[in-house]
Amino acid sequence: MLQLDPQSQSCGSAMLQPTKPAIMIIGGAEDKVHGREILRTFFNRSGGPEAHIAIIPSASREPNLTGGRYVSIFEDMGAKSVQMLDIREREQTNDPYWQRATEECTGVFLTGGDQLRLCALLADTALIDTVRLRAQMGQITLAGTSAGAAIMGHHMIAGGGSGESPNRALVDMATGLSIVPELIVDQHFHNRNRMARLMSAVSMYADLLGIGIDEDTCAMVEQGGGLQVLGKGTVTVIDPSDMTHTNEPIVGSTDPLSLHSLKIHILCHGDRYHLHKRALL
C-alpha cells in the first residue's frame, strides 16, 4: 500500500513536480493525437528525455498493434528508450530479459483490452511483483488505461451491465493486481453509464473506495496517497465509510440495493483528493 510522506500530506508543491513518479489510472480513450496531455504527463513523470519506458500490451488481443502505437507516441516525444514487453504466455514473465526491463525502466504503461486476460497473464508473477513494488515505492511511474486501469485494485470489476438500478448481478468481480489495493476502479465511466455498476461493487466491499474515471481522464495517485485529476472528464469518488445501511447481504442477486448515506464526490481537472484521509484537498 502507498505510504504517506511529509511532503504529500497537504496540497503543496510535491503534487506539482512534473517528474515526480506517480500511479496514473486512466479511464480509457485518452487523447493520442492532439495535446496528448495525459500521455505527455506520463512521459514527463517517467523522466522526460531520460525516460526508459516499458509498454505492456498483454490485455490486448492485438498486442503488436496496440503496443506499437504507444511505442511510436513515446518515441516521438523523445524518450531515451521504449520497449514493448509482448507477453502472451505466463512463462514469458520468467524471461530474465523482461525481468531486467522492469527493474531498469523509469515508467511502465499497461494498455487497454481485457482485464481478465491481463490478470491471467501477470498475476502472481515475479515481473508484476517488481512493477507493483517499484510503483508503490515511488521508483517508477506506472500508468494503466481502460483494462490497465481496472486492474489497479485488489478487488477488480471484471465486467457487468449498465442502465439498471444497483444490484449484485450488475457487476462481475475478480481479483486485480493490487497496485492501489484500497480502490475499486471502473473506467469509461459516465461515457458508458456505469454509476450503478460501481455502486453495486462498493456495496460488496464497503471498506474500499470506488473510483469511476471518464474517458480521456486520469486519476493520478502520488506516493503519499494524494490524488489529482487530469483530463477532459471527471473522476467520481464513492466513499461508503459513512454508510448507515445496505440490504446487500439479504436480497437476491437481481433485487435492487438500498445504500444509505453514501458520500459521492465529482472531481474535474485540477481537483485533489486524499485517498487515506478520504478528504478533499
Side-chain angles (χ1 to χ4, degrees), residues 40-54:
R40 191 165 293 281
T41 300
F42 169 77
F43 166 76
N44 288 331
R45 292 273 180 151
S46 299
E50 298 300 315
H52 297 271
I53 294 173

Side-chain angles (χ1 to χ4, degrees), residues 117-189:
R117 174 181 171 84
L118 183 60
C119 287
L121 289 171
L122 297 185
D124 300 318
T125 64
L127 185 144
I128 202 61
D129 288 346
T130 298
V131 171
R132 180 193 303 109
L133 182 61
R134 296 192 69 208
Q136 292 176 345
M137 293 180 66
Q139 296 176 355
I140 60 170
T141 292
L142 171 62
T145 184
S146 189
I151 56 82
M152 290 287 178
H154 176 72
H155 295 286
M156 175 181 78
I157 294 178
S162 62
E164 300 178 28
S165 301
N167 66 82
R168 293 208 313 268
L170 192 62
V171 59
D172 300 320
M173 300 299 294
T175 302
L177 297 182
S178 296
I179 308 297
V180 191
E182 60 264 49
L183 300 183
I184 299 175
V185 177
D186 212 345
Q187 11 75 40
H188 303 280
F189 192 62

